């Protein structure tokens, strides 16, 4: 239904307009008494067969929605109805911010890929806290936190602490995002000293809480092997619970879309099918260290999900694949899990 009827209409629109229209549609459907059942049918869901225990949490299935789709936690009940075992909301920043000028999100259909330079457009941590108070029970919700664009890197730690303080009691797990390519200088926070400062201060606060919240780090696929090793060392030293690998890439290698068209789209992070092998290489390196890892980047079907688990992911997330395949992707992934 999505691929044959809804997607052709949505793909005629600007990518971000299509995203916003889809959100309005999902809100309308969820306001109907049979809303959840309608979405379950669209997703062609199977009963969940294989729950996963990780970070002290129970995931009813290991298929998650990646950060950036629901930046403001607006559709939690819909994601549960669409069959996701978990959703990572955000990236949220302490203060609301508009993000980069539009257009800032593009499709590369020949590559089953997207390029975006949204730049953490979001309603801020206080607005997210209100939404998280209505979290459905059976959905694990992670909160992905970042810094405001106008906060210099020298004081970035304060932004992460602010988000943490406002949202930790409402989150099942939290993710420190230092890997988006669309906030100038953000990825420099993956450097050893900066990272150590941010993660140790967050963990310090975390350990003083009644309930310590599982804390993870999301990393870029563009780190060198040496840089990944340094990140692993910092994550181990600060006793983080896990790593999310990976964010979007700044590389444009190996695309089928003509390079002139790709260049015309401008800067941004590339996601979707072309990211799979690249993200899996980073994932494998992290997995070798024994750190529990959420695998994300390039899942568009059952085979690419299997490759992610074969690389050692404990849980997986999708974003671009969901844009291209729609709700039925979750049903397909569930069936692949059940037949393993
Ligand atoms: C339009 C768009 C917005 C995104 N926004 C965020 C974000 O705010 N925070 C974040 O950590 N990742 C963000 N991501 C990255 C995704 O969470 C994911 O890591 C990446 O897209 C790779 O997965 P995929 O190939 O399944 O899309 C975004 C991705 C896209 C396509």
């Amino acid at each position: 239904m999505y691929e044959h009827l809804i997607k052709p209409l949505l793909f005629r629109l600007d990518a971000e307009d299509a995203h916003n229209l889809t959100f309005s549609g999902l809100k309308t459907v969820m306001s109907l008494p049979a809303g959840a059942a309608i979405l379950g049918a669209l997703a062609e869901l199977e009963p969940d067969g294989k729950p996963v225990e990780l970070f002290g949490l129970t995931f009813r299935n290991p298929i998650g929605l990646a950060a950036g789709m629901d930046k403001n936690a607006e559709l939690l009940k819909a994601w549960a109805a669409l069959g996701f075992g978990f959703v990572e909301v955000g990236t949220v920043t302490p203060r609301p911010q508009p993000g980069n000028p539009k257009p800032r999100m593009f499709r590369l259909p020949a590559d089953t890929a997207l390029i975006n330079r949204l730049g953490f457009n979001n309603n801020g941590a206080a607005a997210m806290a209100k939404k998280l108070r209505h979290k459905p029970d059976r959905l694990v919700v992670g909160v992905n936190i970042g810094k405001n664009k106008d906060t210099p890197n020298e004081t970035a730690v304060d932004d992460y602490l602010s988000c943490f303080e406002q949202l930790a009691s409402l989150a099942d797990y939290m993710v420190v995002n230092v890997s988006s390519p669309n906030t100038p200088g953000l990825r420099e926070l993956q450097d050893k000293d900066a990272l150590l400062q941010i993660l140790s201060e967050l963990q310090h606060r975390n350990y003083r809480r009644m309930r310590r919240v599982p804390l993870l780090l999301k990393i870029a696929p563009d780190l060198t092997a040496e840089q990944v090793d340094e990140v692993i060392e910092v994550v181990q030293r600060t006793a983080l619970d896990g790593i999310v690998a990976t964010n979007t890439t700044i590389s444009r290698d190996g695309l089928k879309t003509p390079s002139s068209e790709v260049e015309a789209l401008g800067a941004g992070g590339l996601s979707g099918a072309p990211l799979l092998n690249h993200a899996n290489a980073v994932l494998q390196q992290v997995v070798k260290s024994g750190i529990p890892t959420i695998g994300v980047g390039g899942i568009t079907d059952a085979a690419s999900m299997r490759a992610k688990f074969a690389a050692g992911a404990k849980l997986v997330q999708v974003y671009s694949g969901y844009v291209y395949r729609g709700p039925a992707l979750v049903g397909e992934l569930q069936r692949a899990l059940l037949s393993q």
Side-chain angles (χ1 to χ4, degrees):
M1 161 112 165
Y2 175 83
E3 286 202 80
H4 297 113
L5 278 173
I6 303 172
K7 182 175 144 184
L9 297 174
L10 288 176
F11 270 43
R12 285 179 163 181
L13 305 175
D14 161 79
E16 191 172 349
D17 290 344
H19 170 92
N20 293 336
L21 187 65
T22 306
F23 266 49
S24 306
L26 286 171
K27 280 179 195 166
T28 306
V29 174
M30 283 307 285
S31 69
L32 305 172
I38 294 169
L39 294 187
L42 262 183
E44 301 171 22
L45 294 185
E46 306 285 337
D48 288 310
K50 295 197 173 157
V52 174
E53 304 281 337
L54 194 65
F55 315 130
L57 303 166
T58 303
F59 297 76
R60 70 182 164 121
N61 70 50
I63 306 161
L65 184 67
M69 179 75 90
D70 193 356
K71 286 180 184 277
N72 300 306
E74 292 175 278
L75 282 172
L76 298 178
K77 291 194 173 74
W79 306 127
L82 286 162
F84 287 101
F86 67 113
V87 51
E88 197 172 302
V89 296
T91 295
V92 63
T93 54
R95 286 167 286 118
Q97 63 177 28
N100 290 321
K102 295 179 187 177
R104 52 190 183 176
M105 186 173 165
F106 310 93
R107 305 180 193 93
L108 280 62
D111 290 294
T112 318
L114 299 172
I115 287 178
N116 91 84
R117 52 171 171 276
L118 293 174
F120 293 169
N121 53 313
N122 79 102
N123 296 340
M128 176 164 288
K130 284 192 191 140
K131 297 288 183 188
L132 292 178
R133 292 201 177 96
H134 308 286
K135 189 162 77 68
D137 289 341
R138 62 201 181 118
L139 184 73
V140 171
V141 179
V143 177
N144 179 306
I145 58 176
K147 74 163 193 77
N148 280 109
K149 185 180 177 182
D150 58 10
T151 302
N153 274 3
E154 293 67 41
T155 52
V157 63
D158 297 336
D159 276 16
Y160 289 97
L161 288 171
S162 165
C163 289
F164 183 84
E165 293 293 350
Q166 293 183 69
L167 299 167
S169 62
L170 299 161
D172 292 316
Y173 72 90
M174 295 192 91
V175 179
V176 180
N177 182 8
V178 284
S179 49
S180 164
N182 302 315
T183 296
L186 188 86
R187 288 168 305 148
E188 289 162 19
L189 300 175
Q190 292 175 120
D191 291 351
K192 205 171 172 180
D193 293 342
L195 195 59
L196 188 60
Q197 189 208 1
I198 292 171
L199 299 186
S200 23
E201 294 210 24
L202 282 169
Q203 279 293 55
H204 186 68
R205 298 278 174 105
N206 203 5
Y207 273 94
R208 288 205 315 234
R209 293 174 47 78
M210 292 268 281
R211 181 188 70 95
R212 200 181 67 81
V213 65
L215 190 63
L216 286 78
L217 176 72
K218 184 163 180 181
I219 62 173
D222 304 315
L223 298 171
T224 63
E226 293 74 36
Q227 287 172 319
V228 174
D229 278 337
E230 282 186 4
V231 167
I232 289 171
E233 198 192 314
V234 176
V235 165
Q236 288 173 330
R237 257 178 83 178
T238 50
L240 246 62
D241 296 86
I243 286 184
V244 183
T246 68
N247 214 312
T248 56
T249 177
I250 55 168
S251 161
R252 299 290 187 264
D253 291 345
L255 297 178
K256 296 185 188 98
T257 307
S259 54
S260 56
E261 280 178 37
V262 176
E263 271 165 36
L265 299 177
L270 173 77
S271 56
L275 181 57
L276 182 71
N277 292 337
H278 196 151
N280 286 358
V282 174
L283 170 67
Q284 265 172 325
Q285 194 185 340
V286 174
V287 165
K288 268 196 206 143
S289 70
I291 297 170
T293 306
I294 301 180
V296 52
I299 296 179
T300 54
D301 56 13
S304 41
M305 177 189 71
R306 286 199 192 96
K308 206 60 97 186
F309 284 119
K314 294 263 193 281
L315 301 164
V316 296
Q317 294 177 327
V318 294
Y319 190 135
S320 308
Y322 202 65
V323 170
Y324 280 91
R325 302 286 319 285
L329 177 61
V330 176
E332 179 184 328
L333 299 182
Q334 274 183 326
R335 278 186 292 283
L337 285 171
L338 291 171
S339 68
Q340 267 176 11

